[in-house]
Amino acid sequence: MRVLLVEDDPHTAAFIAKGLREDGHTVDLADNGKDGLFLATTENVDAIVLDRMLPALDGLTLLQTLRGAGNRTPVLLLTALGEVDHRVEGLRAGADDYLVKPFAYAELSARLDSVLRRGSSGGSEPTRLRVADLELDLLSREARRGDKRIELQPREFRLLEYLMRQAERVVTRTMLLEAVWDYHFDPQTNVIDVHISRLRQKIDQGYPRPLLHTVRGAGYRLGV
């Protein structure tokens, strides 16, 4: 999933972003509330991890602005303010959950999964993708084709998630570099070819109908 992290402390931001990426998420970063609001309203993110005390625009104002505009993206609010009144204030501003600093990354990850599940049941972005008999559970991090479980490395998971979200469409190498590797330039390596080859072996090898196709001169397409 694509997560927007709005956190001004560089050490905390690096710590959380590292964990989110290891969990297979794509991470957009903003170090102030103004940039965070811009990304939240212009990019298609699945969830927001939002610090409460931010420069330029504080987290509560950012959150209230989003909710006032009808934006229902799940938000996990982070703060050093842990009193009951502070938590109530954050939840009433529109946060889906509230986590007090300091925290363990495992708890942040679990709470983020929880708000994503609640958002999914309310009609937001799905947490389970399916193309033919290939299925990807974005919360349990489990991939299956038919009855067979497929073991994926974190980067392979992100690659497959992106391809499934773009199912039946041609995706270019540039699109993959930006969405899966967070590169905004071509590093002139065979990194995509290597990962596509591994992914193809895992999801197609042994099956009569391949799902991952190379579109000569254009890119790749996942579909029947």
Side-chain angles (χ1 to χ4, degrees), residues 4-34:
L4 171 60
L5 171 60
V6 190
E7 167 63 65
D8 63 321
D9 180 78
H11 299 293
T12 303
F15 167 71
I16 297 172
K18 179 175 182 291
L20 291 172
R21 289 180 176 125
E22 287 175 348
D23 282 349
H25 299 298
T26 298
V27 181
D28 292 319
L29 271 170
D31 62 4
N32 65 77
K34 188 176 179 180

Side-chain angles (χ1 to χ4, degrees), residues 58-126:
D58 68 88
L60 281 188
T61 302
L62 189 162
L63 182 55
Q64 290 167 334
T65 302
L66 284 181
R67 296 306 187 227
N71 187 309
R72 307 310 304 167
T73 304
V75 172
L76 174 59
L77 194 63
L78 305 178
T79 184
L81 306 174
E83 300 296 326
V84 172
D85 288 347
H86 296 138
R87 296 199 296 272
V88 169
E89 189 178 27
L91 292 170
R92 284 182 172 166
D96 296 274
D97 201 355
Y98 199 97
L99 187 57
V100 178
K101 297 178 179 179
F103 54 82
Y105 177 77
E107 183 177 3
L108 183 148
S109 178
R111 286 178 180 269
L112 184 61
D113 285 349
S114 177
V115 299
L116 285 166
R117 279 195 296 272
R118 294 202 296 269
S120 176
S121 64
S124 298
E125 288 290 316

Side-chain angles (χ1 to χ4, degrees), residues 91-224:
L91 292 170
R92 284 182 172 166
D96 296 274
D97 201 355
Y98 199 97
L99 187 57
V100 178
K101 297 178 179 179
F103 54 82
Y105 177 77
E107 183 177 3
L108 183 148
S109 178
R111 286 178 180 269
L112 184 61
D113 285 349
S114 177
V115 299
L116 285 166
R117 279 195 296 272
R118 294 202 296 269
S120 176
S121 64
S124 298
E125 288 290 316
T127 57
R128 192 183 296 268
L129 304 176
R130 187 176 185 85
V131 176
D133 58 349
L134 177 65
E135 189 171 275
L136 193 66
D137 189 316
L138 302 179
L139 297 181
S140 67
R141 318 291 302 166
E142 185 175 277
R144 287 185 174 276
R145 184 161 182 187
D147 295 330
K148 181 182 177 183
R149 180 170 179 170
I150 302 169
E151 297 295 334
L152 297 174
Q153 297 297 315
R155 190 74 70 178
E156 293 166 350
F157 191 96
R158 289 177 64 180
L159 177 59
L160 181 58
E161 178 188 349
Y162 183 77
L163 289 167
M164 293 184 76
R165 287 182 182 276
Q166 308 297 323
E168 303 297 349
R169 302 174 187 168
V170 175
V171 297
T172 66
R173 295 173 63 88
T174 299
M175 292 165 68
L176 291 174
L177 283 170
E178 291 183 350
V180 181
W181 278 267
D182 296 327
Y183 290 164
H184 297 279
F185 62 95
D186 189 344
Q188 299 293 314
T189 70
N190 65 344
V191 61
I192 290 179
D193 306 291
V194 171
H195 282 79
I196 286 286
S197 176
R198 289 176 183 167
L199 185 60
R200 178 174 277 136
Q201 288 180 16
K202 292 185 177 183
I203 68 172
D204 279 345
Q205 193 169 55
Y207 294 91
R209 183 176 62 178
L211 296 177
L212 182 52
H213 309 276
T214 298
V215 181
R216 189 177 298 276
Y220 304 94
R221 180 179 64 84
L222 186 78
V224 296

